[in-house]
Amino acid sequence: MYDASVPLFTASLRNMRAWLDKAAEAGDEAVLADTRLAPDMRPLTAQYQMASDTAKNGIARLTGLTAPAMPDTETSFADLRARCDATIAFIEGVDPALFAGSETREVVLKFPNGMGYSFAGAAYLTGFALPNFYFHVTTAYAILRAAGVPLGKPDFLQHLGAPKPAEA
Amino acid sequence: MYDASVPLFTASLRNMRAWLDKAAEAGDEAVLADTRLAPDMRPLTAQYQMASDTAKNGIARLTGLTAPAMPDTETSFADLRARCDATIAFIEGVDPALFAGSETREVVLKFPNGMGYSFAGAAYLTGFALPNFYFHVTTAYAILRAAGVPLGKPDFLQHLGAPKPAEA
């Protein structure tokens, strides 16, 4: 459960943080921060916030910890970098021993309207946390790409490092 | 390894298949099939093909099977539905017993230029296959949303079913 959550979340949060450097070179930070793919979708800042929320709340729900509150006040790229850093610091600070039994720990997701889902931890991670996390990561990438920021698949998979000569 | 791959791939491929029905109602199939988010990104058809490739090749590499060849000739929504169906059928037909030991099975990714990556199976799944799969799933969704197709998060997470009254 640890191996299927912590390294995935931290790798993509580090990648997202790095995209901001290329975005700052390519465009106007304030404009990009408020850019969205469709009028009824959330802007770039919110995609970063929701990726952070899905990651930190996911780890908290699986381990029984309380995730640090982050009030979604980010507006600048500097703010978003700090949000990534704080999220990574929380996740990497969690004792791996706390994941023991997390595959069967009950996780309840409750929405403001009182509806929600109840999962075993493993089904929560694979059915909700991972797809929802990558949704926001990729939507952030898509906003930047559609706005002309020169990113590519190596930026999305930056955690792999540079490819090496391969024997197959 | 089975639980962290097969159900995730098949859930999102079924979701992607369903998005085509809403897309067909909202727009012109031929136009949408060739729509891209940025001039140097691949169009909708290719996003479906690459999601399929990542899923079926991922399962094949983890289990030692050979994935069915799919020559990327899809142009219509009917073709894309059939691609989703064929991919799901292959993945769901794999004997779960073949995943035994897959976490340490060596996986080599070799690109046409001779470069690539070598992974243990678990690192391949979490470092490459899952993020790359969700990249193409979400990019397909993003293309449709940016084109005005009325999709929402419940369509992205359709595999969860409708939420129910929650006790938290």
Side-chain angles (χ1 to χ4, degrees), chain B:
Chain B
M1 291 293 290
Y2 180 95
D3 290 344
S5 59
V6 169
L8 290 70
F9 291 148
T10 56
S12 288
L13 288 165
R14 287 199 167 88
N15 299 342
M16 293 179 82
R17 189 189 195 289
W19 303 341
L20 296 173
D21 297 337
K22 291 196 177 182
E25 283 181 22
D28 181 90
E29 289 194 20
V31 170
L32 287 170
D34 199 41
T35 296
R36 47 192 96 212
L37 276 180
D40 60 342
M41 289 183 80
R42 308 285 304 281
L44 185 73
T45 46
Q47 302 301 334
Y48 273 74
Q49 290 160 352
M50 292 187 285
S52 159
D53 281 343
T54 306
K56 72 185 173 68
N57 295 338
I59 295 300
R61 290 183 178 120
L62 291 173
T63 57
L65 295 172
T66 299
M70 300 185 187
D72 294 340
T73 52
E74 294 82 7
T75 58
S76 70
F77 281 14
D79 294 339
L80 294 177
R81 288 187 190 99
R83 176 75 178 250
C84 291
D85 289 342
T87 308
I88 293 166
F90 165 67
I91 294 172
E92 291 192 335
V94 173
D95 181 353
L98 294 176
F99 285 82
S102 61
E103 61 273 22
T104 55
R105 178 188 283 270
E106 186 185 22
V107 174
V108 176
L109 277 190
K110 191 172 178 179
F111 304 134
N113 68 357
M115 306 293 278
Y117 296 100
S118 175
F119 302 91
Y124 164 72
L125 177 61
T126 61
F128 179 82
L130 290 178
N132 198 56
F133 175 71
Y134 285 118
F135 176 90
H136 294 296
V137 174
T138 310
T139 301
Y141 178 95
I143 289 170
L144 294 172
R145 288 290 266 113
V149 176
L151 297 171
K153 187 62 79 66
D155 296 291
F156 192 85
L157 298 174
Q158 188 173 322
H159 55 281
L160 296 180
K164 296 176 181 164
E167 305 290 329

Side-chain angles (χ1 to χ4, degrees), chain A residues 140-154:
Chain A
Y141 178 95
I143 289 170
L144 293 172
R145 288 290 267 114
V149 176
L151 297 172
K153 186 64 78 66

